[in-house]
Amino acid sequence: MGADSGPGAPAAVPWRKVLYERQPFPDNYVDRRFLEELRRNIRVRQYRYWPVVRETGLIAQQVSCVAIFLTLWSYMEQGDLVPSTVLWVCLGCALLGYGLYEILGAPCVWERTRLADLQSATIFLAFTFGFSPVLKTLTESVSTDTVYAMSAMMLLAHLVSFPYAQPSPPGSLSLNAALFASVCLASRLPGALHTFTMLSCALLVFALWPCLLHRMREKVEWSFPWAAVLVCLAGVGGLGSLWPEGALLLSLALLTLTLVCPLLLVHLQRHKDNIHGPWDEAEIREDLSRFLN
């Protein structure tokens, strides 16, 4: 970059920013007007603290869902929970959540979705119950430490890949990772009914609950923070009944995630400096849909 009076730039011939005309200037030459089109932070989104805190509630409650799932598995592994009782509770929660989902949805598609959802639920329950003995013995040749390590990695992958911006339906990668972890953990339970119960809980926690929560965020916005807080309290309380130190660590992690991280984001926004100018790629703003017909 050089000035108008610099070497290789004769003053008698003005420089023009065109490509189709041969000019007596180097290919990389620009004049003083180059930086006049410089613009800073023209597309920067300004964040406010409490709206960011509200959005991080989705991440916090998803972490708490994992804690709730692990708590249920631990109680079943220790024999403190009867699988039939857990199944009835899951069935009641599923029916209650489905009814709420339908009430908050569009009434014009109720009949069609009810039949489709009934078919999907029947197929899933039938196949899961039929293959529970197979899933129970699926990892018999794998050591328990390896199973636990794989489960931890898959649950971490579920949290990392979860589509927090659009959680309904859950992303295929995050859902598959959660179901894989649930299969690994369920294979260490005492019986086939335990395995079926664990997989049903996994479907309820990792697949159905995000859909209901997303519907609540869209239709009844005030209910989302309360639902997130209740899930977080349930996760901390469930983990505290098994491991008080772990509940304390989870509480600190959730507080850091929901209160400290948004504060850092809002604070660091003032130091953001994006520049735009003539060096950017061209953006076509004209509607070109007429050329596609």
Side-chain angles (χ1 to χ4, degrees):
M1 183 173 66
D4 285 340
S5 58
V13 181
W15 177 79
R16 299 175 58 198
K17 190 172 65 174
V18 293
L19 295 176
Y20 53 83
E21 180 179 337
R22 184 179 297 277
Q23 303 182 72
F25 299 95
D27 293 338
N28 62 345
Y29 172 79
V30 291
D31 62 0
R32 294 191 182 95
R33 294 170 297 174
F34 181 74
L35 294 180
E36 291 179 358
E37 301 180 29
L38 175 66
R39 300 292 182 270
R40 295 180 180 272
N41 299 333
I42 60 176
R43 299 186 184 93
V44 173
R45 180 181 178 183
Q46 299 297 329
Y47 294 98
R48 293 182 299 173
Y49 178 70
W50 289 111
V52 177
V53 171
R54 183 180 181 275
E55 293 300 320
T56 54
L58 183 61
I59 306 176
Q61 70 87 30
Q62 197 63 31
V63 176
S64 300
C65 285
V66 174
I68 293 174
F69 177 78
L70 293 177
T71 301
L72 290 175
W73 173 83
S74 180
Y75 274 116
M76 292 184 64
E77 196 266 341
Q78 296 173 7
D80 296 331
L81 279 179
V82 181
S84 58
T85 303
V86 179
L87 275 177
W88 283 112
V89 173
C90 289
L91 178 61
C93 292
L95 293 177
L96 181 62
Y98 184 75
L100 182 59
Y101 186 87
E102 288 290 299
I103 292 174
L104 298 177
C108 60
V109 295
W110 277 8
E111 297 299 329
R112 180 178 59 85
T113 56
R114 283 175 180 173
L115 179 59
D117 293 339
L118 180 60
Q119 292 176 347
S120 300
T122 303
I123 292 174
F124 172 81
L125 293 176
F127 273 87
T128 305
F129 184 78
F131 284 99
S132 292
V134 179
L135 298 176
K136 171 67 179 64
T137 59
L138 190 63
T139 60
E140 278 189 349
S141 59
V142 183
S143 65
T144 302
D145 293 340
T146 304
V147 169
Y148 290 165
M150 289 192 301
S151 301
M153 292 298 295
M154 289 299 103
L155 290 176
L156 180 61
H158 163 74
L159 292 175
V160 172
S161 61
F162 188 82
Y164 297 100
Q166 187 69 26
S168 178
S172 59
L173 177 59
S174 63
L175 182 58
N176 288 334
L179 292 179
F180 180 81
S182 65
V183 170
C184 291
L185 292 176
S187 65
R188 288 300 183 263
L189 294 177
L193 185 59
H194 294 73
T195 302
F196 174 68
T197 304
M198 205 71 247
L199 293 178
S200 301
C201 291
L203 179 70
L204 186 65
V205 172
F206 297 121
L208 301 182
W209 168 245
C211 297
L212 176 59
L213 190 64
H214 179 68
R215 180 65 61 87
M216 292 170 62
R217 290 181 65 191
E218 287 184 338
K219 303 297 182 179
V220 192
E221 294 184 3
W222 61 267
S223 64
F224 167 71
W226 294 103
V229 170
L230 289 177
V231 173
C232 292
L233 291 177
V236 173
L239 188 60
S241 63
L242 294 171
W243 184 28
E245 295 81 2
L248 178 61
L249 293 177
L250 178 61
S251 301
L252 293 177
L254 294 179
L255 290 176
T256 302
L257 183 64
T258 55
L259 298 178
V260 179
C261 291
L263 183 63
L264 290 177
L265 175 64
V266 174
H267 176 72
L268 294 176
Q269 277 295 109
R270 69 185 67 176
H271 303 293
K272 195 168 186 177
D273 189 15
N274 290 342
I275 59 175
H276 302 270
W279 52 84
D280 293 337
E281 295 182 1
E283 297 182 6
I284 302 177
R285 302 182 181 275
E286 183 182 358
D287 184 13
L288 303 179
S289 59
R290 63 180 184 275
F291 297 107
L292 301 178
N293 297 331

